Amino acid sequence: MLQECGLYETGVRASDILDIVDGYKGLGYGLSTDEELELMASISQTSGIIVDPVYSGKAVFGMVSEMKNNPNRFKGKRILFIHTGGLLGLFDNRMDSVLSKSASKVVAWKDGT
């Protein structure tokens, strides 16, 4: 893959450009804190990107936490987050309380209001 990106000849190793962060499972599988749920709702409302409370939401929570608490870990200004899907975790009502608090913040993307 590095060769396809033009990085093979530069001596760049995968470990130079890839950093896997572990340890952000929170309360456990399928269990989320209010802080995690609020971040997930905020991301969805401000960007239109939906993250779920089981996988991608916890991963993005970990990334944002690392960006705040350990900014020197990141090199450069471009950060790639790989969204792995997992939207089914949204349909079990666990986010209802968070969404009802912030329902007025939802943006109608079509007309920008």
Side-chain angles (χ1 to χ4, degrees):
M1 180 185 284
L2 291 175
Q3 191 169 16
E4 292 172 6
C5 297
L7 296 172
Y8 184 75
E9 291 81 21
T10 64
V12 173
R13 297 172 299 158
S15 61
D16 294 334
I17 59 174
L18 179 67
D19 186 12
I20 297 174
V21 180
D22 193 13
Y24 283 97
K25 66 178 182 175
L27 299 174
Y29 178 81
L31 304 172
S32 301
T33 65
D34 287 342
E35 184 181 13
E36 290 168 338
L37 294 174
E38 288 168 9
L39 176 68
M40 292 172 213
S42 175
I43 289 170
S44 298
Q45 292 162 354
T46 59
S47 71
I49 299 170
I50 299 172
V51 294
D52 76 291
V54 178
Y55 294 114
S56 59
K58 289 182 184 246
V60 79
F61 181 83
M63 181 186 71
V64 169
S65 296
E66 286 294 315
M67 290 170 74
K68 288 179 185 175
N69 301 326
N70 194 6
N72 293 330
R73 175 179 210 143
F74 300 90
K75 300 173 185 174
K77 297 185 186 259
R78 294 182 183 186
I79 299 169
L80 173 65
F81 176 80
I82 300 175
H83 190 305
T84 58
L87 298 180
L88 295 177
L90 292 172
F91 300 108
D92 64 356
N93 302 329
R94 84 179 75 198
M95 291 193 67
D96 287 357
S97 63
V98 173
L99 294 175
S100 65
K101 285 190 261 182
S102 59
S104 63
K105 297 178 187 175
V106 175
V107 175
W109 293 97
K110 183 177 180 184
D111 61 7
T113 59

